[in-house]
Amino acid sequence: MVVSTQVKEQPATAGQDTERRLNMIEAINEALDVMMARDPDVIVMGEDVGYFGGVFRCTAGLQEKHGKTRVFDTPISECGIIGVAVGMGAYGLRPVPEIQFADYIYPGLDQLISEAARLRYRSACDYIAPMTVRSPFGGGIFGGQTHSQSPEAIFTHVAGLKTVIPATPYDAKGLLISAIEDNDPVIFFEPKRIYNGPFSGYYDKPVEPWKKHRDSVVPEGYYKIPLGKARTVTEGEQITVLAYGTMVHVAEAVCAEKGVEADILDLRTMMPLDIEAIEASVKKTGKCMIVHEATRTSGFGAELSALVQERCFYHLEAPIERVTGFDTPYPHSLEWAYFPGPVRLGEAIDRLLSE
Amino acid sequence: MADRPEGQNKPRLALHVPEPKFRPGDKADFSHIDIGEPGKMPRPDEACEAKDTLPLCYDLIRVLGDDDKAHGPWNPKLDPDTLRTMLQHFSTVRAFDERMFRGQRQGKTSFYMKCTGEEATSISAAMALASDDMVFPSYRQQGVLIARGYPLLEMINQIYSNKGDKLKGRQLPIMYSSRDHSFFSISGNLATQTPQAVGWAMASAIKGDSRIAATWVGEGSTAEGDFHSACTFATVYNAPVILNVINNQWAISSFSGFAGAERTTFAARALGYGLAGLRVDGNDPLAVYAAEQWAANRARANAGPTLIEHFTYRAEGHSTSDDPSGYRSAQEREEWPLGDPVTRLKDHLIALGEWDEDRQAAMDKEAAEHVKATTKEAEKNGILGHGLHHPFRTMFQDVYEDLPWHLEEQAAQAKREREIKWPGEEPWS
């Protein structure tokens, strides 16, 4: 997998201000660095994460700084990586395993679903598995069908797991710190399409670098963003858009382009879910659009749609719109036909507004 | 002329499907198994190269001979008190298995698994470990808990899923967990505990601790991917871990051939990974103790992980849900060439002049009475399905550290249902 994701040296001052601006990779790296410095029980491991710093460079420099017994490469064995992380968690460590691509997580599923997720419950708190499984996910980088998937719905279906997906550098750092401190196993999916800059959905337009974006100002040191709290990206009265990861930025770009005043909620965490924010927004606008890149059928959008219907039915002025990937594997050459881009979002917005 | 597919010159291929040597009605004959001679196997230095264990991966480490005496370099030279303690644990676990099996038949619980014939693989092995070494057991290592002094009352409470069950009635019977006894929570999914044990051992090494880890897995489950991941991680990081493979010949009704036993031994799998491998007579308590002690010393000295194949025989069914008369010769148990571990240890102690049949009978009687009395005590906390269980509210606890809103809502739903079904009663009790 060849992806251009070199960490670029950021000047201490960027643009017109003097605030520190990071891309998502640097923010994630900093979260790991901060937590490793604060807590000697935090361990980073995964394929290529050590000396080389990970294929996306998220763990660059950590081994040199924290030592190779705390940051190390692993065999290519996802069930092994997750399985040993369960054992490490039982010992009392806080492992942060990296799965190189979310598509590779399937060999480790049993250890996540049957073991990590249930350990607290089945042992009545004798043992816990306080791990944070980091993994780049989603498409839009010509990764083909095995480097592009969005498997978040698998994990939200499992009692005992938490699922977190950041959409900005600021959130990535704060959410990852919360995830590492959390005593439950957390799946932390990193939308790799926006590692280096927010993506508008127009694949033929240059990507704006993070350093020009309002949410790339990342404080130094330790700060947390609580799990279970959504972020209001834009406020509006016309429609509610529920999104996460890359699709937050696509939705924002499309709404801005169409001049739609939308309440765009970046969910940030699927489990625990901020139902209060969703309910309040949909009751305000009466129109709900759910956006994700994953395949449509039984996707997380189905759960969101059901919740909105159950809780906001009498406030709805139009059928709930689901904008998603198609129910096919991610096609390499036809990636942009698959990706839920401005046209698909635009049609859904038009339908909602016409009701 | 070779059999060829029509229109092809190349010979027809044939699939091999393993078949055990004996089925119901067959006369069992184990003369094809080379059990070797007790005392003849060399005992290499515990810090040896993994490849130096090659002969130990194919032949059997045995200590107790037909003369009931201990032979050779693997004799752990245990004192009579230790041997009597081991025998007492054997006696207890046999009595426990008998009583719990009967309890299942009486409807007091849903399920039970005996370890008859395999007692040494857990009790003798556990006695060779330090009490705070962490164990990641499979489902037939009740002997480890008994050897570590875990109260029988707690075991029975767990089996009955009653209000005394420390696991709050959430686990299948016999899937114990005790952090205080360094005994990991048992999983129903097979071999998952093996990479977990390696991870725990790696963590212990990362922290510069002195405790090692040991795990137990059935020979059938060595076919699981987790087992191979465990071997790889163990060798890559030189993890202080012991991987015990209990080759009891049967994985429910599939014989060991379906895990690859027709081609090689399970101990020999160690060599391909760079692990030390030992193949031990699993019905010889002294040999099991010695092998486990060798591996523990090796791990503790940072000399490397070890895979031990305990060559034994599952004398009973797989579980209370299984009837072995449907798939294997009824004679196998009697014909098994390595005998019974309890009888062999007893006879050894008698040969040493440290025991006799009367004391054995008294010990067995005392164990049976102790188990019986403890069972009655546990029954005061309830039996499965008879109402004395943990309060209903506990169903929603411990899924997460904190109760999320959706589980709060579902708990309220469950409470409403109970108020309708049993008006006037405390719904959460």
Side-chain angles (χ1 to χ4, degrees), chain B residues 115-319:
Chain B
C115 66
T116 313
E118 303 172 44
E119 291 88 346
T121 64
S122 52
I123 289 170
S124 306
M127 288 179 70
L129 298 170
S131 61
D132 58 354
D133 286 337
M134 186 70 189
V135 300
F136 289 76
S138 181
Y139 44 68
R140 218 184 294 280
Q141 276 74 53
Q142 56 265 54
V144 174
L145 278 177
I146 284 171
R148 287 192 164 180
Y150 188 65
L152 295 185
L153 181 64
E154 303 295 356
M155 294 174 76
I156 303 171
N157 284 338
Q158 198 281 320
I159 289 165
Y160 287 171
S161 291
N162 62 22
K163 68 184 173 76
D165 175 11
K166 290 194 165 171
L167 305 185
K168 303 184 183 176
R170 293 167 179 164
Q171 274 275 49
L172 197 66
I174 62 90
M175 294 201 175
Y176 317 101
S177 172
S178 177
R179 191 178 181 86
D180 290 345
H181 293 76
S182 298
F183 187 95
F184 194 67
S185 156
I186 297 172
S187 177
N189 288 23
L190 302 179
T192 53
Q193 72 277 15
T194 57
Q196 294 165 1
V198 175
W200 195 97
M202 288 170 65
S204 188
I206 288 168
K207 298 304 279 186
D209 197 344
S210 64
R211 293 173 294 163
I212 64 169
T215 185
W216 281 254
V217 67
E219 93 284 348
S221 306
T222 61
E224 293 278 10
D226 291 62
F227 176 75
H228 299 276
S229 298
C231 291
T232 302
F233 277 72
T235 199
V236 165
Y237 302 105
N238 204 44
V241 67
I242 305 169
L243 303 158
N244 291 291
V245 175
I246 308 301
N247 178 4
N248 68 9
Q249 316 299 321
W250 292 93
I252 309 188
S253 68
S254 296
F255 85 116
S256 57
F258 283 100
E262 290 180 325
R263 312 294 176 190
T264 187
T265 67
F266 293 96
R269 283 149 171 79
L271 296 171
Y273 291 102
L275 304 167
L278 304 176
R279 189 163 178 260
V280 60
D281 173 355
N283 289 19
D284 178 340
L286 299 190
V288 169
Y289 185 101
E292 201 76 15
Q293 187 181 45
W294 186 94
N297 290 344
R298 180 178 174 84
R300 229 179 285 285
N302 285 313
T306 304
L307 189 163
I308 305 176
E309 175 186 353
H310 299 262
F311 193 70
T312 183
Y313 185 76
R314 195 193 75 206
E316 295 274 359
H318 169 71
S319 71

Side-chain angles (χ1 to χ4, degrees), chain A residues 14-63:
Chain A
Q16 298 299 308
D17 57 56
T18 56
E19 290 169 304
R20 254 165 35 102
R21 289 176 175 273
L22 303 181
N23 68 24
M24 217 150 159
I25 293 168
E26 292 162 327
I28 288 161
N29 182 279
E30 221 174 75
L32 293 168
D33 188 27
V34 165
M35 289 310 293
M36 293 196 81
R38 283 173 70 95
D39 184 349
D41 291 333
V42 175
I43 300 293
V44 169
M45 61 173 181
E47 295 159 24
D48 302 309
V49 303
Y51 181 83
F52 182 59
V55 291
F56 290 102
R57 317 297 293 132
C58 288
T59 57
L62 295 178
Q63 186 179 70

Side-chain angles (χ1 to χ4, degrees), chain B residues 63-85:
Chain B
V63 173
L64 283 174
D66 291 342
D67 57 0
D68 299 324
K69 290 182 179 156
H71 299 273
W74 286 92
N75 178 5
K77 300 192 171 105
L78 300 176
D79 62 76
D81 281 343
T82 303
L83 294 173
R84 277 189 288 263
T85 300

